[in-house]
Amino acid sequence: QVQLVESGGGSVQAGGSLRLSCAAYAYTDRAICMGWFRRTPGNEREYVATISLRGTRTNVTDAVKGRFTISRVNGDKKNTRYHLYLQMNALRHEDAGVYYCAARICSSTQYIYFGQGTQVTVSS
């Protein structure tokens, strides 16, 4: 059981930047891996970036490589509170959509916890 709340979405001109944040509280002491997903118009929800428990391993999808950076801060020693971030630079029209913070138990491959989403709009 992981609760996720995103913030930081909004409207920006093409070429601009936004930083998304996610506050996470895990009702478990199991290791939590996290990531960002997005749903763009006409498409299914897709993976954007993922990060390991300690933040030592990150992956981003090719479409945002070099422009988006994922990071996290683990908030307490019990590993029950986390903050996840997505720094998005050089935004393009095709980046517009709803962005979701996501979490999984690190021993599992499937993301099953998602936040409510935050809208990102990219204008000309």
Side-chain angles (χ1 to χ4, degrees):
Q1 291 76 2
V2 182
Q3 288 186 337
L4 304 165
V5 179
E6 305 97 336
S7 62
S11 182
V12 65
Q13 286 190 325
S17 298
L18 280 175
R19 190 190 195 209
L20 304 183
S21 300
C22 174
Y25 188 85
Y27 294 92
T28 174
D29 58 0
R30 301 176 71 181
I32 301 296
C33 290
M34 302 185 74
W36 289 97
F37 287 69
R38 70 184 180 186
R39 190 191 306 274
T40 56
N43 295 309
E44 298 290 324
R45 186 165 58 191
E46 63 180 357
Y47 135 83
V48 176
T50 59
I51 189 166
S52 61
L53 173 64
R54 302 298 179 196
T56 54
R57 295 188 305 276
T58 63
N59 286 290
V60 296
T61 190
D62 287 345
V64 306
K65 198 163 290 183
R67 300 187 298 120
F68 290 13
T69 302
I70 186 172
S71 60
R72 69 185 287 172
V73 175
N74 295 339
D76 63 28
K77 293 182 179 179
K78 294 183 179 179
N79 290 332
T80 57
R81 296 179 186 270
Y82 309 90
H83 292 273
L84 182 70
Y85 304 97
L86 185 67
Q87 178 65 43
M88 305 186 295
N89 297 328
L91 281 160
R92 303 169 180 170
H93 294 111
E94 56 264 37
D95 295 320
V98 180
Y99 283 71
Y100 300 89
C101 178
R104 62 177 173 91
I105 305 299
C106 289
S107 59
S108 169
T109 59
Q110 187 174 9
Y111 283 86
I112 60 172
Y113 303 105
F114 290 88
Q116 80 285 355
T118 186
Q119 179 73 46
V120 171
T121 302
V122 182
S123 61
S124 300

